[in-house]
Amino acid sequence: MRVAAFTDFGDGDAVEIQERDDPEPGPGEAVVDVEACSINRHDLWILQGDSAMVTGGALPFVSGLDAAGYVSEVGEDVRGVEAGDRVLLCPNQTCGTCEFCREGPETLCEQFMLYHGALAERASVDASRLIPLPDGVDFREAAALPTAYLTAWRMLKVADVGPTDLVFVPGATGGVGVAAVQLAAVRGADAIGTSTSERKLDRLSELGCEHTIRSADTDELVREVRSIGSPDAVVNHLAGDFTQVGLEVMKRGGTMVICGRTAGPTSEFKVAPFFLRHERIVGSTMGTQPELETLVDLLADGAFEPPVGETYSLEETGRAFDDMSERDAFGKLVVEPDR
């Protein structure tokens, strides 16, 4: 089979198509013929050598978390999954025995990791992590869910976002940002989204974002958000200087949930207003498999439709990462191995 392997750390030129043996499922495993795999900033960080999860000794490395496709083969002791099933992979990997796995949520597992290997024609996976896909669900849209949409859904849930709430999403035209805007609407809330691109903000408005702000200037963002209202929650995948922005505009007792560091690995914020206003900052990573199953059901019911920015063949995987790095695309970028 063909895989798109990272042979070095760098840009899209470091992605090479290689031939590998077809995987064979072990006990409890299934092989999935990958129809679609969306890429994420998580994959890009690995490619750029900016992830502690993958070091030079792991090269060549096949990334790809978000796989949707058909089951082609199952191993021993597999129940509930058989060849021919349409499925979506939940990329969570947990030990299953620690107190957090026993008591939940599973994302707190002491050995929590993510599956990699779906940028390939076939992927061998833990069969228990496969979620059935209804016939009416498009593989490309399904592949958008596991990282970006699951992360955003969990963040909104942690912040207890509900009807009539106002959610602030700085950098709202990236994967998690777009997902947060759409899923806030699903939960009955309004969103304020920001970007430096008028074209992307127009797209965001079409997806139901009630308020948009074209700026990356932190002082301007504070003024503009305050003119709209006091957000009940902040979905922060940027970090950096935007953490202080969120704290300044958030209502008393509000909650900021942080899942990333796109704008910088550290944040500085003023401490006194933070505790005097009883604000909360909560970290969040991914979400649980039952939450991903909920998203599949919502997608199947037409509650939202993930925008797919562009699709690529496996040979074009390097270009997909370059497009992501240039930040010009809107919507999920999806690799279709058999295209």
Side-chain angles (χ1 to χ4, degrees):
M1 68 171 185
R2 296 172 303 138
V3 303
F6 300 170
T7 58
D8 199 355
F9 296 129
D11 58 16
D13 289 339
V15 181
E16 179 181 301
I17 301 302
Q18 297 182 344
E19 289 286 339
R20 301 277 178 91
D21 292 337
D22 284 341
E24 295 184 2
E29 294 181 339
V31 174
V32 175
D33 289 342
V34 180
E35 293 292 318
C37 177
S38 73
I39 62 173
N40 301 278
R41 193 152 296 276
H42 173 91
D43 304 289
L44 181 62
W45 283 337
I46 293 174
L47 176 59
Q48 293 174 336
D50 191 25
S51 172
M53 296 181 66
V54 180
T55 61
L59 299 178
F61 182 81
V62 180
S63 196
L65 292 71
D66 297 352
Y70 293 100
V71 174
S72 62
E73 190 177 358
V74 298
E76 297 178 0
D77 302 322
V78 170
R79 301 290 183 271
V81 178
E82 60 185 28
D85 286 353
R86 304 176 86 251
V87 293
L88 174 67
L89 174 67
C90 176
N92 293 351
Q93 294 185 327
T94 57
C95 71
T97 59
C98 72
E99 62 176 303
F100 302 105
C101 285
R102 295 195 305 270
E103 300 174 8
E106 66 175 354
T107 49
L108 287 177
C109 173
E110 295 171 353
Q111 300 179 44
F112 185 83
M113 291 289 289
L114 293 170
Y115 173 86
H116 299 90
L119 288 173
E121 290 183 295
R122 298 173 190 86
S124 182
V125 303
D126 180 346
S128 70
R129 289 295 183 181
L130 293 175
I131 297 172
L133 281 183
D135 289 339
V137 174
D138 181 83
F139 282 125
R140 291 170 297 181
E141 293 181 353
L145 299 183
T147 299
Y149 282 77
L150 180 58
T151 296
W153 184 255
R154 180 69 185 177
M155 295 171 79
L156 294 167
K157 186 176 179 180
V158 167
D160 196 27
V161 170
T164 75
D165 281 348
L166 183 61
V167 181
F168 176 42
V169 188
T173 54
V176 171
V178 171
V181 166
Q182 290 187 284
L183 296 178
V186 170
R187 298 177 75 93
D190 291 337
I192 304 172
T194 78
S195 174
T196 58
S197 167
E198 191 67 37
R199 176 182 63 84
K200 291 184 179 182
L201 288 176
D202 288 343
R203 291 289 309 279
L204 202 64
S205 295
E206 294 171 0
L207 293 175
C209 189
E210 294 290 330
H211 311 278
T212 60
I213 302 171
R214 183 183 179 185
S215 179
D217 179 82
T218 55
D219 292 333
E220 184 177 7
L221 287 177
V222 170
R223 291 193 301 269
E224 292 294 325
V225 173
R226 283 177 173 169
S227 72
I228 296 169
S230 298
D232 300 270
V234 177
V235 172
N236 183 0
H237 68 93
L238 296 178
D241 294 338
F242 295 92
T243 300
Q244 177 61 33
V245 172
L247 291 174
E248 288 193 36
V249 301
M250 197 162 57
K251 70 180 293 185
R252 293 179 67 86
T255 301
M256 176 188 297
V257 189
I258 301 178
C259 74
R261 54 177 178 83
T262 305
T266 60
S267 295
E268 294 184 5
F269 60 88
K270 299 173 184 177
V271 175
F274 168 67
F275 64 76
L276 290 173
R277 289 166 49 83
H278 300 271
E279 296 169 334
R280 295 196 307 152
I281 300 177
V282 184
S284 186
T285 297
M286 295 292 287
T288 67
Q289 185 161 332
E291 288 167 342
L292 183 55
E293 292 168 355
T294 295
L295 289 175
V296 170
D297 290 341
L298 288 169
L299 178 61
D301 290 341
F304 68 98
E305 183 178 327
V308 175
E310 190 169 349
T311 59
Y312 305 81
S313 67
L314 195 65
E315 286 77 11
E316 296 172 318
T317 301
R319 181 166 70 85
F321 281 109
D322 286 342
D323 288 349
M324 173 176 281
S325 183
E326 291 170 4
R327 302 175 183 269
D328 189 47
F330 183 94
K332 294 297 293 181
L333 304 183
V334 179
V335 175
E336 297 176 304
D338 286 332
R339 197 181 80 178

